[in-house]
Amino acid sequence: MFQDNNSVIEIKQEYQAGKRNFQNIQLRRIDLRGLDLSYADFRGADISYANLIDVNLSGANLQEAYLNESDLSGSNLKEANLNKASLIRTYLIKTNFEKANFKEAYLIGSKATKANFKEANFDGAYLKGLQLTGANLQDSSYTNETHFDGNFDPEKAGMKKVELLKIEPVCHKSNITVRQLLDTFNHLYQISHRYLGKTMTVKYWEASRHDHEWLKQFEINHLGQISFTGEPELTLSPLQLEIFQEWVKRFIKSCSAIMQNFPNMIDQQQIVFDIFPTPPNNKVSSYEIKTDSAKPQSFTL
């Protein structure tokens, strides 16, 4: 079921009256098919499960917007900004994304049959499970940070690799600080909050936390973000690191119960230890976690 016509009429009237700022608006399940919303600002908006067939969103700012499981078939998003946007399991059939910016965007499990991605930017984008049958990827760019399926050959598809000057990641095998833990929390928060929402993120962080005195110094706010009440530059002891790893392991297990491909979204360079999903029978059930020791430790969930 889509939202009532009043919401659609209101958006259409406001746009025609000159309004372009629709930041953080809630438009889940809305039917906007065929509307001209070019150059509108939908930063942070939630337009999931919506009917966006044949919508004109050319030049629109959809940075950090949620378009999960919406239908954008036939729509025009030429030069649209989709930086860090979430388009998980979205229909993008024959959609025009020429020169669009998908930097660090999530297109996992989406259908992009015959879509036009000519000269689009996929730096750091998550493209695993993206169906690209007949899609035009000519001169679209990718980097070492772009996440493809293992059997996908970007150069054969017409894409070009761009080398970016980046600072080398900090070595995570020793002298791990609380600040680095918070960076790990933030990365996992960005993924879980994007698709599972703040309520489930908070619930899973709380439910997976051990009843350990040290962990009580980590505070979880209503959005699921985590802060530390002590000294952020504190170096962890081996025991503290082990406790933290167990918390993260339990959190990932909880998220994976809802979304099985959750571990595949984790960028290893964003966390302080290596996590390798080992899904027997296509089910996420165990992880291998590397620490300082030469031999990885295996934790079964």
Side-chain angles (χ1 to χ4, degrees):
M1 294 293 293
F2 294 109
Q3 287 190 28
D4 58 75
N5 290 332
N6 291 334
S7 300
V8 180
I9 293 171
E10 183 178 352
I11 294 291
K12 185 176 181 180
Q13 289 178 341
E14 289 180 344
Y15 182 86
Q16 291 177 343
K19 180 177 178 179
R20 294 295 181 270
N21 187 355
F22 298 96
Q23 291 184 41
N24 300 312
I25 193 170
Q26 297 296 308
L27 296 174
R28 281 196 166 207
R29 303 187 185 279
I30 198 166
D31 189 344
L32 297 174
R33 55 186 158 181
L35 290 188
D36 180 5
L37 297 169
S38 55
Y39 298 97
D41 188 347
F42 285 104
R43 279 177 290 176
D46 189 348
I47 323 175
S48 300
Y49 311 103
N51 185 346
L52 303 172
I53 294 174
D54 295 328
V55 172
N56 182 7
L57 286 165
S58 58
N61 190 346
L62 291 154
Q63 183 173 345
E64 298 186 347
Y66 298 83
L67 297 155
N68 300 324
E69 299 192 42
S70 290
D71 193 342
L72 283 156
S73 298
S75 294
N76 181 14
L77 283 89
K78 181 178 180 180
E79 299 181 351
N81 181 10
L82 291 142
N83 181 19
K84 296 184 179 180
S86 185
L87 299 92
I88 298 173
R89 298 196 190 100
T90 303
Y91 286 91
L92 310 172
I93 299 169
K94 295 184 179 179
T95 306
N96 181 20
F97 288 112
E98 184 177 351
K99 297 182 179 179
N101 178 23
F102 288 100
K103 180 178 172 60
E104 299 181 23
Y106 291 77
L107 291 89
I108 296 170
S110 293
K111 292 179 171 57
T113 306
K114 296 184 179 180
N116 180 19
F117 293 107
K118 184 178 180 181
E119 297 183 50
N121 173 24
F122 289 103
D123 175 24
Y126 293 78
L127 308 178
K128 292 186 177 181
L130 177 63
Q131 298 179 27
L132 291 164
T133 306
N136 180 8
L137 290 161
Q138 192 65 39
D139 294 325
S140 60
S141 59
Y142 71 98
T143 66
N144 285 330
E145 308 301 321
T146 306
H147 303 259
F148 295 107
D149 283 327
N151 59 352
F152 181 76
D153 186 343
E155 293 186 5
K156 187 176 181 180
M159 302 180 73
K160 58 183 181 181
K161 187 174 182 179
V162 177
E163 298 292 342
L164 300 178
L165 181 61
K166 294 189 176 181
I167 299 174
E168 290 298 319
V170 177
C171 178
H172 299 314
K173 293 187 176 181
S174 63
N175 299 324
I176 296 174
T177 66
V178 171
R179 189 178 299 280
Q180 290 175 282
L181 297 191
L182 294 176
D183 290 341
T184 294
F185 278 131
N186 182 60
H187 177 60
L188 295 174
Y189 159 79
Q190 292 292 340
I191 300 172
S192 60
H193 182 267
R194 183 179 298 276
Y195 196 66
L196 300 178
K198 62 182 180 182
T199 301
M200 297 303 292
T201 299
V202 173
K203 176 182 176 182
Y204 288 155
W205 276 133
E206 292 285 11
S208 57
R209 176 160 50 177
H210 287 284
D211 186 19
H212 191 280
E213 192 66 29
W214 178 64
L215 293 184
K216 292 179 181 178
Q217 296 182 73
F218 291 90
E219 296 182 345
I220 306 169
N221 67 18
H222 68 286
L223 295 175
Q225 296 170 313
I226 295 177
S227 58
F228 185 68
T229 60
E231 172 53 53
E233 301 304 330
L234 176 71
T235 300
L236 272 63
S237 68
L239 176 59
Q240 288 172 329
L241 179 59
E242 181 180 347
I243 294 168
F244 170 75
Q245 289 175 330
E246 184 65 21
W247 188 5
V248 170
K249 181 192 71 172
R250 291 187 177 193
F251 176 75
I252 294 173
K253 178 184 178 182
S254 296
C255 293
S256 301
I258 302 297
M259 189 168 56
Q260 287 192 357
N261 62 349
F262 183 86
N264 295 328
M265 299 180 185
I266 299 172
D267 185 349
Q268 188 56 59
Q269 293 187 355
Q270 300 297 317
I271 54 180
V272 297
F273 49 82
D274 295 331
I275 299 178
F276 298 98
T278 55
N281 301 322
N282 298 320
K283 292 184 179 180
V284 177
S285 60
S286 65
Y287 301 95
E288 188 177 85
I289 300 179
K290 280 186 180 178
T291 56
D292 292 345
S293 58
K295 186 176 180 181
Q297 302 176 29
S298 221
F299 295 87
T300 301
L301 303 183

